[in-house]
Amino acid sequence: MDNNEVSLLKKALERQKKARKQAEKILEDKSKELYDVTRHLRESNAKLENLLSEKTSELDGVFINIIDPYVVMDLSFNVINMNRSAKEFLGFDHNINKVHLSKFIHPEFLDYTIESMRSLMEVGTLTNYRAKIILDESTVKWVQINGSLIYNKDRKPIAAQGILRDITQEMEVKKLLSEQKKQLDIIVENSPLGIILAKDGQIVKANNTFVEMLGYQEKELKKVTLNSISEPDNETERDSNINEGSNKVTSIVKFIRKNGSKFTAKTTMTSISENDLKSDYQVAIIEDISKELEAERKLKASESRLSALISNLQTGVLLEDEDGKIALTNQKFCNIFNIKANPAELIGKDCDYYEELNKHQFKKPDQFLQRIADILAKKDTTLADELEMLDGRILERDFIPINNDGAYKGHLWAYNDVTISKNYRKNLEVQREKYSSIIANMNLGLVEVDNDDVIQMVNQSFCKMSGYSEDELIGKVASRVIQIKEEQLIPQKNASRLKGKVDSYEVEVIHKNNSVKHWLISGAPRFSDTGKVIGSIGIHLDITDQKHLELQKEKLLHELENSNQGLQEYAHIVSHDLKSPLRSISALATWLYEDYKDVLDDGGKQNLELMQEKVGSMDKLIHGILEYSTANSSELDYSNVDLNDVITDIAEIIYIPEHVQLRVPVKLPVIMADKTKMHQVFQNIIGNAVVHIEREHGLVEVLCKEESDFWHFTVSDNGVGIPKEYHKKIFDIFQSIGHNERSTGIGLSIVKKIVDRYHGKVWIDSTVGQGTQFHFTIKKNENLAELP
């Protein structure tokens, strides 16, 4: 290696040494700078942690019972501390992962959040901050935050704390309630029932249906009172309802239209009041029943005519139900068999008894009974069955089974005394003319057709029902003239007549004027003298009005059911929503007491305690309303309930004064019932009894007496007693005796609802100053199938 190469290597080595020294110096400087920064941060963090620890220690007593998420952060949004609820809600643990809270802010609420933080720094507190946050980078939640700054000893803010509440469901409920209100407005405005809201009898608002009913404009209705446009149709009925003290009265009222005409309406008036002394508003639901009343009148008239027709028939008629009991008969039947009782007295009697009683009137008594047994066994139509009597008379008997939609509903026996017809042809003709006249003029439409469905005979009632004259019907094919919506039905029925079948069915018929009518048809085959089927006979009843009423009734019942369900859900939601602000008020009152108890005077502390008591009372009232709203609607869960265990549990959970003893002298039964409902009944009655005993030694006893169909329970106490005028009132909701603020006035009304569900009764016997006995009955479990 020459000298030049050695010189180059030395120079390169010197450069490397200088570069290394420079790198070491830079590294040393940076390390010192990093060390200083780290030391400074440690000191700052230590101070901050000490301050936070001190503040947290002060707040431990406040937040120990908070179940909502609680978070402490520094002023740069970094999480310092959080409770378990916050970890579960936000989905991270600050002890494991360092998290910056700004990442949860929804983009739509970024500006609002910045402004809220600015307000927090200025004021020191943040109240009811509501915004969206994003969890798991996809889940959107609504939260409400109440927070405040944390200060050091020099009153400089060093951190912030806040309580989060998930209000996602609340916001969804508000949206749902808004939509439901719109839907309710639509339902009210489009309801076929008239609906009005009045204040002290003065109309405030009316829906379109009521406006159309009266012929007034809505602004005109607001100038009149209910009394000026209505008058009671039955004053006695209305007065009796009012005297009962009910806030809901249903009565029949006549309304006066603007043009002076009147219509009859079923009116349900509900009073809505804010206190027990005055009814502020009245809601009236008006249903125009003029057509319904007219239809009922016509139906009753038709039934009366039909009953009169049967009563005056010259045929002995006996109608039996499917159980062999007499459903209907007439005087002719009684006359034929020399029965002294009148037809009305025979209804409900056993037919077997009268068959056995009257068999001696026939020449062949045993054959008479056997023939009845054979006919009933076959249940086929039997016509002109001949019977010989001991006194020489000859009877013809017809048997017609009655079926409805394939179900056997009984049968009709028709007895005719044909003695004269057997001997005198002339008498037969007279009888035929008489019956023909009856058929021609009765309100039931009668048609006879042959086996080809050609009309042989019609009566005047059928012509009136169909709209066709007798000339337009006789000789025509019935199915071509009378248009029936279900075209294949009549051919099918005619085919069944050829087989000797009898039945009843409903059809929709097109009237001659193209209107749709509903008919009830009873059809039977016609036989020749030799017993051959030669056609059929049909009896027609126009049930159009009744059908329309049935459809209208079903529609109204469905609407009412939906409305009741909606109102119940609404009460449930509103009651739950009311509890959230109550919890917040309770928490705030607790914070105030803990933070300022050294500053507040006795009056301030007493006011905070009074606030907590009122919050507790409101919470009990809301809970009572929820229980009341579900007392007769929630599903019953039946099981064997040991009432002795129920009373023991109640004694452990309710407040019983030291001077009062709760006893069960005789062991109570184990019954089949809903355990929760039984617990509610006994707790509400016992809880009411133990707090109204002023004697030195109070006693409450639970007794039971078994009756044939019911369990009869009695809760007896030696308390102050209840005046007689309150014996019924205390079972109404929000009614209580005395000035006990612990009472919500709901407990005993829940008892009544539950007892009603078990088909029982509840009442009291009480003498002021001596004590009270609460009685209630529960239907036994062998009849559970009848319970709702």
Side-chain angles (χ1 to χ4, degrees):
M1 182 181 296
D2 57 13
N3 291 330
N4 291 330
E5 291 177 344
V6 172
S7 179
L8 291 172
L9 290 173
K10 286 181 177 180
K11 290 179 178 180
L13 182 60
E14 288 296 326
R15 285 196 299 270
Q16 288 181 355
K17 287 180 178 180
K18 290 180 179 180
R20 183 173 180 179
K21 287 181 178 180
Q22 290 176 349
E24 289 176 351
K25 187 175 184 308
I26 292 171
L27 183 61
E28 182 179 355
D29 293 338
K30 292 296 182 182
S31 298
K32 185 176 184 304
E33 180 180 351
L34 181 61
Y35 174 78
D36 291 337
V37 171
T38 303
R39 185 170 55 82
H40 177 71
L41 288 175
R42 284 177 179 173
E43 293 176 355
S44 299
N45 286 338
K47 293 179 180 179
L48 180 61
E49 288 174 358
N50 287 335
L51 291 173
L52 288 177
S53 177
E54 294 174 6
K55 195 65 178 179
T56 301
S57 177
E58 294 175 6
L59 295 174
D60 279 345
V62 177
F63 296 105
I64 189 169
N65 294 320
I66 292 180
I67 62 173
D68 292 324
Y70 168 60
V71 178
V72 180
M73 70 175 187
D74 62 22
L75 299 181
S76 297
F77 279 81
N78 294 304
V79 175
I80 297 174
N81 199 359
M82 59 198 308
N83 64 359
R84 179 180 296 177
S85 296
K87 294 176 184 178
E88 294 175 353
F89 180 65
L90 297 176
F92 73 90
D93 189 339
H94 69 286
N95 295 319
I96 300 174
N97 301 313
K98 298 295 182 183
V99 177
H100 197 271
L101 290 177
S102 62
K103 79 170 191 174
F104 295 101
I105 301 174
H106 195 283
E108 296 176 3
F109 290 83
L110 185 59
D111 293 338
Y112 171 55
T113 302
I114 294 172
E115 182 64 28
S116 298
M117 290 303 300
R118 186 180 296 114
S119 174
L120 174 64
M121 296 302 296
E122 293 176 357
V123 180
T125 60
L126 180 65
T127 304
N128 293 335
Y129 163 84
R130 291 191 171 198
K132 290 181 182 178
I133 63 172
I134 302 176
L135 303 178
D136 301 330
E137 299 182 354
S138 60
T139 305
V140 177
K141 293 282 189 179
W142 278 91
V143 295
Q144 175 178 300
I145 301 176
N146 289 298
S148 62
L149 291 176
I150 299 176
Y151 301 91
N152 62 12
K153 296 180 179 179
D154 299 327
R155 295 302 297 172
K156 291 184 179 180
I158 57 174
Q161 63 181 352
I163 295 177
L164 289 75
R165 187 167 67 88
D166 185 356
I167 62 171
T168 305
Q169 185 176 5
E170 177 182 335
M171 299 301 287
E172 292 174 352
V173 168
K174 285 185 176 180
K175 182 179 179 182
L176 177 61
L177 287 176
S178 177
E179 293 176 354
Q180 287 182 343
K181 184 179 181 302
K182 292 178 182 178
Q183 294 171 359
L184 184 60
D185 289 340
I186 293 173
I187 291 172
V188 170
E189 286 303 322
N190 293 278
S191 172
L193 302 177
I195 302 175
I196 59 174
L197 176 66
K199 182 176 178 63
D200 297 327
Q202 188 74 36
I203 296 176
V204 177
K205 185 173 179 57
N207 69 346
N208 292 332
T209 302
F210 188 73
V211 170
E212 293 173 359
M213 283 180 177
L214 273 293
Y216 288 93
Q217 295 182 359
E218 186 175 2
K219 61 182 181 180
E220 293 176 323
L221 283 174
K222 293 181 180 180
K223 299 178 182 179
V224 300
T225 63
L226 281 174
N227 289 335
S228 66
I229 59 172
S230 67
E231 58 186 33
D233 185 63
N234 188 336
E235 193 64 36
T236 302
E237 178 184 350
R238 170 180 280 189
D239 288 345
S240 65
N241 285 335
I242 293 175
N243 291 335
E244 289 173 4
S246 173
N247 67 341
K248 185 175 183 180
V249 180
T250 299
S251 56
I252 305 301
V253 177
K254 286 187 177 179
F255 282 91
I256 306 168
R257 297 186 179 94
K258 185 177 180 181
N259 62 11
S261 61
K262 300 179 182 180
F263 67 92
T264 306
K266 179 181 180 182
T267 303
T268 300
M269 182 75 72
T270 302
S271 297
I272 302 173
S273 59
E274 296 181 357
N275 54 60
D276 297 335
L277 301 178
K278 180 181 178 183
S279 296
D280 295 322
Y281 289 95
Q282 301 87 39
V283 176
I285 300 177
I286 298 95
E287 178 188 358
D288 186 348
I289 59 172
S290 301
K291 294 182 179 178
E292 179 182 338
L293 293 176
E294 179 62 19
E296 288 181 359
R297 186 190 65 77
K298 291 181 178 179
L299 180 60
K300 289 180 179 179
S302 178
E303 290 176 349
S304 297
R305 288 192 294 268
L306 182 60
S307 177
L309 173 64
I310 293 176
S311 297
N312 293 284
L313 281 176
Q314 295 304 306
T315 297
V317 175
L318 175 64
L319 180 64
E320 291 186 44
D321 61 19
E322 60 269 34
D323 298 321
K325 306 294 185 183
I326 298 176
L328 178 67
T329 187
N330 63 356
Q331 188 61 47
K332 184 65 175 179
F333 176 83
C334 296
N335 294 340
I336 289 175
F337 294 102
N338 299 315
I339 298 174
K340 302 301 181 183
N342 63 54
E345 294 174 341
L346 297 179
I347 295 177
K349 303 296 184 180
D350 196 330
C351 288
D352 290 342
Y353 169 76
Y354 282 95
E355 289 166 3
E356 185 69 30
L357 183 65
N358 292 287
K359 69 177 183 179
H360 66 276
Q361 299 187 40
F362 297 89
K363 284 188 175 181
K364 299 178 180 179
D366 294 336
Q367 186 176 333
F368 163 73
L369 295 178
Q370 184 60 45
R371 179 59 177 161
I372 291 176
D374 293 342
I375 293 174
L376 292 177
K378 294 180 180 180
K379 290 185 175 60
D380 291 335
T381 299
T382 303
L383 301 177
D385 194 36
E386 193 171 291
L387 304 170
E388 293 186 38
M389 310 287 285
L390 275 177
D391 59 9
R393 288 179 295 155
I394 299 176
L395 304 180
E396 279 189 353
R397 176 177 58 190
D398 295 337
F399 172 82
I400 302 174
I402 301 173
N403 298 287
N404 188 6
D405 295 330
Y408 178 71
K409 296 298 182 181
H411 48 266
L412 176 72
W413 296 100
Y415 291 88
N416 284 304
D417 187 342
V418 295
T419 307
I420 298 176
S421 64
K422 287 287 183 179
N423 301 314
Y424 303 99
R425 189 71 178 180
K426 182 178 180 180
N427 288 342
L428 177 60
E429 294 298 324
V430 171
Q431 291 294 327
R432 287 184 60 184
E433 288 180 7
K434 182 167 60 175
Y435 287 119
S436 297
S437 176
I438 293 173
I439 291 172
N441 293 285
M442 67 181 181
N443 286 333
L444 298 174
L446 183 66
V447 178
E448 290 185 8
V449 297
D450 62 16
N451 289 336
D452 296 322
D453 200 29
V454 176
I455 298 175
Q456 305 296 311
M457 186 276 289
V458 294
N459 67 349
Q460 189 59 38
S461 294
F462 184 82
C463 294
K464 184 178 180 180
M465 288 171 57
S466 64
Y468 294 95
S469 66
E470 185 175 351
D471 293 338
E472 292 175 307
L473 295 171
I474 299 297
K476 305 296 192 302
V477 177
S479 56
R480 294 178 184 175
V481 180
I482 308 300
Q483 299 181 41
I484 295 178
K485 283 194 172 183
E486 193 174 347
E487 296 179 354
Q488 298 302 318
L489 182 62
I490 297 302
Q492 293 173 1
K493 295 298 181 183
N494 288 339
S496 68
R497 298 292 174 266
L498 293 174
K499 299 177 181 179
K501 292 184 178 179
V502 177
D503 59 5
S504 300
Y505 53 94
E506 293 183 16
V507 295
E508 290 185 46
V509 180
I510 307 299
H511 193 271
K512 187 178 180 180
N513 61 12
N514 289 325
S515 62
V516 178
K517 300 290 185 181
H518 294 268
W519 288 358
L520 175 63
I521 303 177
S522 293
R526 288 195 307 126
F527 296 92
S528 65
D529 294 338
T530 59
K532 182 180 178 181
V533 176
I534 58 173
S536 62
I537 182 171
I539 298 175
H540 304 69
L541 176 64
D542 189 340
I543 59 171
T544 305
D545 291 341
Q546 296 92 315
K547 199 70 176 179
H548 289 167
L549 288 175
E550 289 177 5
L551 295 174
Q552 184 181 13
K553 180 180 178 182
E554 290 177 3
K555 181 181 177 182
L556 291 176
L557 288 175
H558 181 69
E559 291 176 354
L560 181 60
E561 182 179 351
N562 291 339
S563 176
N564 287 339
Q565 181 67 24
L567 289 174
Q568 188 178 67
E569 292 175 357
Y570 177 78
H572 221 293
I573 293 170
V574 169
S575 297
H576 275 292
D577 285 349
L578 289 174
K579 287 196 174 184
S580 295
L582 287 179
R583 288 196 294 268
S584 299
I585 293 171
S586 179
L588 289 171
T590 304
W591 300 345
L592 286 172
Y593 181 84
E594 292 294 333
D595 288 347
Y596 301 103
K597 62 184 178 182
D598 297 332
V599 178
L600 293 171
D601 58 10
D602 292 340
K605 292 178 181 179
Q606 185 178 4
N607 287 337
L608 285 176
E609 292 175 356
L610 184 60
M611 183 187 297
Q612 290 284 34
E613 290 179 4
K614 296 301 181 182
V615 169
S617 298
M618 187 64 182
D619 185 73
K620 287 176 62 180
L621 181 61
I622 293 170
H623 181 72
I625 292 173
L626 276 174
E627 287 188 339
Y628 183 81
S629 66
T630 59
N632 64 350
S633 60
S634 58
E635 184 176 353
L636 296 176
D637 182 13
Y638 288 103
S639 62
N640 286 321
V641 180
D642 189 335
L643 297 179
N644 301 282
D645 295 340
V646 171
I647 302 302
T648 301
D649 293 343
I650 292 172
E652 293 176 355
I653 64 175
I654 69 171
Y655 167 73
I656 301 178
E658 293 183 358
H659 70 285
V660 177
Q661 180 184 8
L662 174 62
R663 289 180 49 200
V664 182
V666 180
K667 187 175 181 181
L668 300 177
V670 176
I671 67 173
M672 180 67 72
D674 186 305
K675 185 174 182 180
T676 301
K677 299 299 183 189
M678 292 299 102
H679 195 285
Q680 282 182 291
V681 170
F682 281 99
Q683 180 174 331
N684 285 332
I685 296 178
I686 294 173
N688 184 73
V690 296
V691 298
H692 290 92
I693 300 178
E694 299 177 354
R695 297 175 184 265
E696 182 178 355
H697 299 289
L699 177 63
V700 177
E701 292 185 329
V702 182
L703 308 169
C704 178
K705 180 173 64 175
E706 184 175 3
E707 298 177 353
S708 58
D709 295 325
F710 293 87
W711 293 106
H712 181 168
F713 297 98
T714 302
V715 178
S716 176
D717 67 69
N718 61 348
V720 296
I722 299 173
K724 188 172 183 179
E725 59 267 26
Y726 294 102
H727 285 192
K728 292 185 179 179
K729 179 181 177 182
I730 60 172
F731 295 106
D732 295 335
I733 189 169
F734 302 131
Q735 300 295 322
S736 60
I737 306 301
H739 304 284
N740 185 3
E741 295 186 0
R742 297 171 59 90
S743 174
T744 62
I746 298 177
L748 294 181
S749 63
I750 293 175
V751 169
K752 186 176 186 306
K753 271 199 170 188
I754 295 174
V755 171
D756 287 344
R757 292 193 72 181
Y758 284 91
H759 294 185
K761 297 180 181 179
V762 59
W763 71 97
I764 67 170
D765 295 323
S766 181
T767 302
V768 175
Q770 296 183 15
T772 302
Q773 295 81 43
F774 279 85
H775 303 275
F776 66 93
T777 58
I778 298 294
K779 198 170 183 65
K780 288 187 176 179
N781 59 309
E782 56 260 30
N783 294 315
L784 283 180
E786 301 177 5
L787 297 178

